[in-house]
Amino acid sequence: MVCGPARYLVFFQYFGTRYSGVMETKSDQALVGVQNYLEEAAQKLKPSSPVKFHISSRTDTGVHALANAAHLDIQRAPGKAPFTAQQLVQGLNHHLKPEPIRILSAQRVPSTFHARFCALSRTYIYRLLLGCAHHSQIPVFERDLCWAPAGG
């Protein structure tokens, strides 16, 4: 008996400074997307077919995420049980090292679940630093965590 793939909802976070955003990009670009790394980590779990992350919302180049959501389907080899949520989180996080991307949680969901279309809400936080006439005035610890519009 062959079972279908197991679908999981995962929540993940990343420090986006060195990525082109969350969505997958061609790997020959200078900056690639967070999705590239997520899918590369999933392939290292040895699924029997390629894994695709379906991400609930997009972010732009340099933008961070405290908790983004995605779903993925993992088909394991015949005779292998689906991953538990804990196994999936630990396995993905192991293969994401040293990237500043972390899986926060995972849970099995029905095959009809879609991370983008089943989302109930999305929250965005914009951090602006006002009053800086020049980018050199941005405090060191705020440099990658806020946007300072030109001209102060």
Side-chain angles (χ1 to χ4, degrees), residues 1-3 48 75-81:
M1 179 174 129
V2 177
C3 294
S48 58
Q75 179 71 55
R76 297 197 69 197
K80 291 211 170 208

Side-chain angles (χ1 to χ4, degrees), residues 32-48:
V32 297
V34 171
Q35 184 176 358
N36 294 69
Y37 291 95
L38 292 169
E39 291 176 0
E40 183 179 306
Q43 288 310 121
K44 291 178 180 174
L45 299 176
K46 298 183 168 76
S48 58

Side-chain angles (χ1 to χ4, degrees), residues 37-119:
Y37 291 95
L38 292 169
E39 291 176 0
E40 183 179 306
Q43 288 310 121
K44 291 178 180 174
L45 299 176
K46 298 183 168 76
S48 58
S49 59
V51 175
K52 179 89 172 151
F53 277 70
H54 301 270
I55 299 172
S56 67
S57 63
R58 297 173 181 231
T59 57
D60 292 329
T61 300
V63 174
H64 315 304
L66 296 172
N68 204 341
H71 77 264
L72 62 148
D73 297 324
I74 300 181
Q75 179 71 55
R76 297 197 69 197
K80 291 211 170 208
F83 289 112
T84 66
Q86 183 179 4
Q87 288 171 327
L88 184 61
V89 169
Q90 289 176 343
L92 289 172
N93 281 337
H94 174 76
H95 293 298
L96 284 165
K97 291 177 188 172
E99 294 299 322
I101 304 168
R102 290 297 169 268
I103 305 298
L104 301 171
S105 66
Q107 66 186 62
R108 289 281 303 267
V109 291
S111 61
T112 55
F113 177 85
H114 194 286
R116 180 176 168 205
F117 302 118
C118 294

Side-chain angles (χ1 to χ4, degrees), residues 129 131-140 142-143 146-152:
L129 180 61
C132 287
H134 189 265
H135 72 275
S136 65
Q137 294 176 318
I138 300 172
V140 171
E142 295 292 332
R143 214 162 262 160
C146 66
W147 180 56

